[in-house]
Amino acid sequence: MLKVAKFGGSSLSSSEQFEKVKGIIESDPARRVVVVSAPGRQNSEDNKVTDLLYLCNAHLKYDVSYDSIFEMIEERFMDIRRGCGLQTDLDAEFDLIRSKLHKGMSVDYLVSRGEYLNGKLMAEYLGFHFVDAADVMLFKYDGHVDYDRTNAAIGEALERYGSIVIPGFYGSLPNGEIRTFSRGGSDVTGAIVSAALNADVYENWTDVSGILMVDPHIVEDPKSISKVTYDELRELSYMGAAVLHEDTVFPVRRKNIPVNIRNTNAPEDPGTIIREAFDKGDEDNSTRFITGITGKKDFSTFDVYCNHNESVMKIVQEALSLCGRYGFQPEQLMSGIDSFSLVFPSAELSRSRYEFAGELKNIPGVDDINIQDGISLIAIVGRQMAYRSGISGKIFQALGEENISVSMIKQSADEINIMVGVYTDDFKKAIRTLYDSFA
Ligand code: ASP
């Protein structure tokens, strides 16, 4: 049994957090591979070390003194070292980094040092071997990961050392230069390492007990999702539920490795399991058919009513090419027998929306158009909704009882997502109503 445990910045922001991590690792001998982020915020006034490193770079570039920022960074690591009683020679590390600080330096090198130093400290603290990501996370010159070399290098490192700590977020190019992923990229490192080692599970430790069914700013203390499929997660993330770096999914999904989102501050909570599919007998509660509810505000809809002289499909085609000419990208297209609606994020419609509307109305076969602003889209996502009858009826009933009018509805082909459009004034109320009715 092998578990790869990746810890995010908030899980590693102080020596107290380091202690919790150590407890988690030592409680399960399968946790032999640890991937770390840089120290995150300790409280809402604090800074993430990675942000400070980027700031340091900006100061360097504009010839402004970066000393005070660099000292803040040093202090963060010194505090952790002191609190955990460690020996790692941070002074030598800082001297080396300082010696490389100059205007033309590689930004990637500088900003990767948060993960690098945290990895060094964590390795000493756990008694694991430190494996520099520059030696095992290997990029090609085009910026893509060289999976063949990377997988081999990670496999060899684990075989040689038995239990290892690898810093997240960065790797190296063939010439040895440091290269980072985009922000939040330690998730991606964890996924690639898990896939390379064929881990039994990829544990992603953060500061919440899994993915919540609904935005906690809208519903107080919502339930968390115990199991979610990749397809459901994609639907939920697309509509706004941010969980993992978007590139995290591919390496682990391909190998069918489950991802377990866990809470460092509540390690006894089981968190959320993400995987391709769950066995029928494995589903926890057959009456709970909704996995999550999410939504986005501020859309505009263009409803197009057609006469019977032209086929709707032909008019849709012309409308889409018109969108192309105006550079407007519809987020959704919903069509009926004699009409269809194009849904755009309002912010993306430039001032030429009126000219666009005029041309839309002039398409042969169009009778009339109707423009509505202030529309919100709500996605009700659940694999257990598929192929069940009466679900949309229940959704309409619940919303109708609260006098929330639905301006449109769409179901995905695989039936795991029902999307409804409501007026933005009703957005929060609609989400609460759906949550209360189905969670
Ligand atoms: N420390 C990096 C960031 O803040 C990477 C990560 O934490 O995943 O973006």
Side-chain angles (χ1 to χ4, degrees):
M1 182 81 160
L2 175 69
K3 295 181 180 176
V4 171
K6 180 259 165 180
F7 292 88
S10 59
S11 301
L12 298 162
S13 57
S14 64
S15 57
E16 288 79 18
Q17 292 300 92
F18 263 57
E19 215 178 313
K20 291 181 194 167
V21 169
K22 190 175 177 152
I24 290 166
I25 297 301
E26 291 182 346
S27 68
D28 186 345
R31 295 184 178 127
R32 285 182 285 125
V33 179
V34 176
V35 174
V36 294
S37 281
R41 286 191 191 91
Q42 293 162 281
N43 52 55
S44 53
E45 270 103 72
D46 199 18
N47 294 297
K48 291 183 178 185
V49 163
T50 310
D51 290 338
L52 293 175
L53 287 162
Y54 274 107
L55 197 59
C56 207
N57 178 62
H59 281 220
L60 253 171
K61 239 194 174 140
Y62 294 106
D63 279 329
V64 182
S65 164
Y66 55 80
D67 278 337
S68 59
I69 299 168
F70 201 77
E71 277 163 23
M72 276 162 85
I73 297 167
E74 287 178 327
E75 210 36 59
R76 293 290 303 272
F77 288 107
M78 291 293 194
D79 277 350
I80 295 173
R81 188 180 74 166
R82 205 174 307 123
C84 295
L86 303 174
Q87 310 295 323
T88 300
D89 189 354
L90 286 178
D91 291 324
E93 297 287 358
F94 291 135
D95 285 347
L96 180 67
I97 299 170
R98 274 183 189 273
S99 75
K100 294 192 181 186
L101 292 183
H102 59 85
K103 235 178 155 170
M105 77 178 303
S106 138
V107 187
D108 286 16
Y109 165 76
L110 178 56
V111 300
S112 70
R113 295 304 88 186
E115 271 71 13
Y116 169 85
L117 293 170
N118 234 13
K120 285 241 148 177
L121 292 174
M122 184 53 79
E124 186 196 342
Y125 194 41
L126 296 175
F128 283 18
H129 191 85
F130 172 77
V131 175
D132 191 345
D135 298 329
V136 292
M137 188 57 61
L138 306 170
F139 288 93
K140 299 186 223 168
Y141 280 118
D142 65 7
H144 290 106
V145 174
D146 183 339
Y147 280 99
D148 290 342
R149 287 172 59 233
T150 297
N151 292 350
I154 294 170
E156 271 166 37
L158 182 64
E159 194 149 313
R160 178 171 317 166
Y161 303 111
S163 40
I164 54 178
V165 174
I166 307 177
F169 187 42
Y170 75 95
S172 65
L173 292 170
N175 63 2
E177 237 177 74
I178 296 294
R179 169 82 195 215
T180 59
F181 291 105
S182 56
R183 294 298 306 267
S186 297
D187 279 344
V188 184
T189 306
I192 292 172
V193 170
S194 302
L197 298 172
N198 287 312
D200 294 281
V201 55
Y202 170 28
E203 292 182 335
N204 192 292
W205 292 84
T206 168
D207 53 4
V208 284
S209 292
I211 305 169
L212 300 173
M213 277 189 78
V214 65
D215 183 345
H217 300 105
I218 298 178
V219 172
E220 204 181 315
D221 201 16
K223 292 179 193 157
S224 62
I225 300 171
S226 60
K227 294 174 184 136
V228 61
T229 64
Y230 287 115
D231 288 337
E232 289 175 305
L233 188 67
R234 200 172 143 69
E235 301 276 358
L236 288 168
S237 316
Y238 177 67
M239 287 294 287
V243 195
L244 291 168
H245 189 293
E246 56 186 8
D247 296 339
T248 305
V249 163
F250 303 107
V252 277
R253 184 170 187 175
R254 213 172 19 155
K255 293 252 178 131
N256 203 13
I257 296 170
V259 181
N260 188 190
I261 313 273
R262 300 286 292 262
N263 188 351
T264 302
N265 305 316
E268 57 298 337
D269 289 352
T272 300
I273 301 260
I274 310 165
R275 62 186 318 161
E276 192 63 38
F278 295 94
D279 294 341
K280 273 271 173 288
D282 215 19
E283 297 286 14
D284 30 23
N285 184 353
S286 57
T287 56
R288 184 162 129 184
F289 53 82
I290 283 184
T291 302
I293 303 165
T294 178
K296 278 205 247 181
K297 288 199 275 200
D298 300 325
F299 288 93
S300 301
T301 59
F302 285 65
D303 302 321
V304 181
Y305 301 97
C306 312
N307 60 34
H308 300 283
N309 301 332
E310 290 285 354
S311 84
V312 173
M313 270 338 282
K314 189 157 177 255
I315 299 171
V316 167
Q317 274 175 359
E318 296 223 7
L320 288 178
S321 74
L322 188 65
C323 291
R325 269 191 278 132
Y326 275 79
F328 294 170
Q329 202 172 337
E331 171 108 2
Q332 300 287 339
L333 167 68
M334 299 186 207
S335 69
I337 303 169
D338 293 324
S339 66
F340 62 94
S341 302
L342 296 166
V343 185
F344 303 93
S346 306
E348 274 180 32
L349 295 171
S350 58
R351 271 171 288 151
S352 43
R353 59 186 274 161
Y354 297 108
E355 287 80 359
F356 171 76
E359 286 205 50
L360 191 61
K361 203 170 166 188
N362 284 336
I363 293 176
V366 172
D367 243 357
D368 201 4
I369 63 167
N370 177 36
I371 307 173
Q372 272 184 8
D373 292 319
I375 297 291
S376 292
L377 298 179
I378 296 176
I380 302 129
V381 176
R383 63 190 176 281
Q384 306 209 61
M385 301 196 305
Y387 315 115
R388 283 204 200 198
S389 48
I391 303 277
S392 23
K394 282 188 186 156
I395 289 172
F396 284 129
Q397 192 185 344
L399 294 173
E401 277 167 11
E402 292 296 322
N403 290 321
I404 297 167
S405 65
V406 173
S407 62
M408 61 194 154
I409 175 159
K410 184 187 158 187
Q411 186 168 37
S412 63
D414 55 6
E415 297 191 12
I416 67 166
N417 183 3
I418 293 179
M419 189 177 286
V420 293
V422 300
Y423 295 105
T424 296
D425 287 347
D426 287 332
F427 179 65
K428 287 186 176 174
K429 187 172 163 196
I431 289 186
R432 283 192 203 115
T433 301
L434 292 168
Y435 178 82
D436 291 343
S437 313
F438 299 116

